[in-house]
Amino acid sequence: MNKYQPLENLLSRKSLDRIPMTFADIEAVIGDRLPASARKHRAWWSNNPSNSVITYAWLAAGYKTSQVNLEAEKLVFVRELTDTEKDRPPRYHPAFGCMKGIGSLEDGVDLTEPADSKWGASLDLVAQ
């Protein structure tokens, strides 16, 4: 087990599309300090697998780095869609569309008009 395996394990358990983390968060997960080059060179956070050993951790978990901010020492891990997820239609709530076709409106019905033509008068009585 390499020192970045805990980061890979953490990211693999998440199903979030975006995981913002600080460098301190990552250090807490791996139980060690990041190398000085992680704070000096943005390229250290690139998604090139031959760049550094830690890159394998987030790539193997299905994430890529984004919005790397060296000054604020933070970044966002963005989940990469698999080929099957890219081909799949967008995910909707299971109840989405369950009422389709159940009701209908008569021709000429304007849903923006009040149902009761005297509704405004009844509100004036309440205010007095």
Side-chain angles (χ1 to χ4, degrees):
M1 181 161 132
N2 71 49
K3 95 177 193 179
Y4 299 114
Q5 187 67 45
L7 178 63
E8 179 182 339
N9 295 343
L10 173 80
L11 294 174
S12 293
R13 288 192 306 267
K14 303 282 186 182
S15 60
L16 301 170
D17 291 335
R18 299 170 49 81
I19 303 173
M21 293 186 83
T22 64
F23 293 2
D25 293 336
I26 295 169
E27 290 173 335
V29 169
I30 65 173
D32 198 1
R33 293 212 22 100
L34 291 167
S37 56
R39 288 179 163 79
K40 293 179 186 173
H41 307 289
R42 192 185 183 301
W44 194 87
W45 295 100
S46 80
N47 294 299
N48 180 346
S50 63
N51 187 44
S52 76
V53 179
I54 192 173
T55 308
Y56 289 109
W58 64 71
L59 292 177
Y63 286 87
K64 287 194 172 185
T65 56
S66 177
Q67 300 174 20
V68 176
N69 184 331
L70 295 179
E71 293 77 29
E73 296 191 350
K74 62 183 181 178
L75 71 142
V76 177
F77 290 106
V78 179
R79 191 169 72 84
E80 285 290 299
L81 297 178
T82 63
D83 289 338
T84 55
E85 289 174 322
K86 290 176 186 174
D87 295 337
R88 189 179 307 153
R91 293 182 287 183
Y92 295 106
H93 187 277
F96 182 80
C98 70
M99 303 293 284
K100 183 178 179 181
I102 290 179
S104 62
L105 297 174
E106 292 183 26
D107 290 337
V109 173
D110 183 359
L111 294 176
T112 62
E113 290 183 17
D116 181 3
S117 60
K118 297 180 184 176
W119 72 274
S122 65
L123 290 176
D124 289 340
L125 293 176
V126 173
Q128 292 177 1

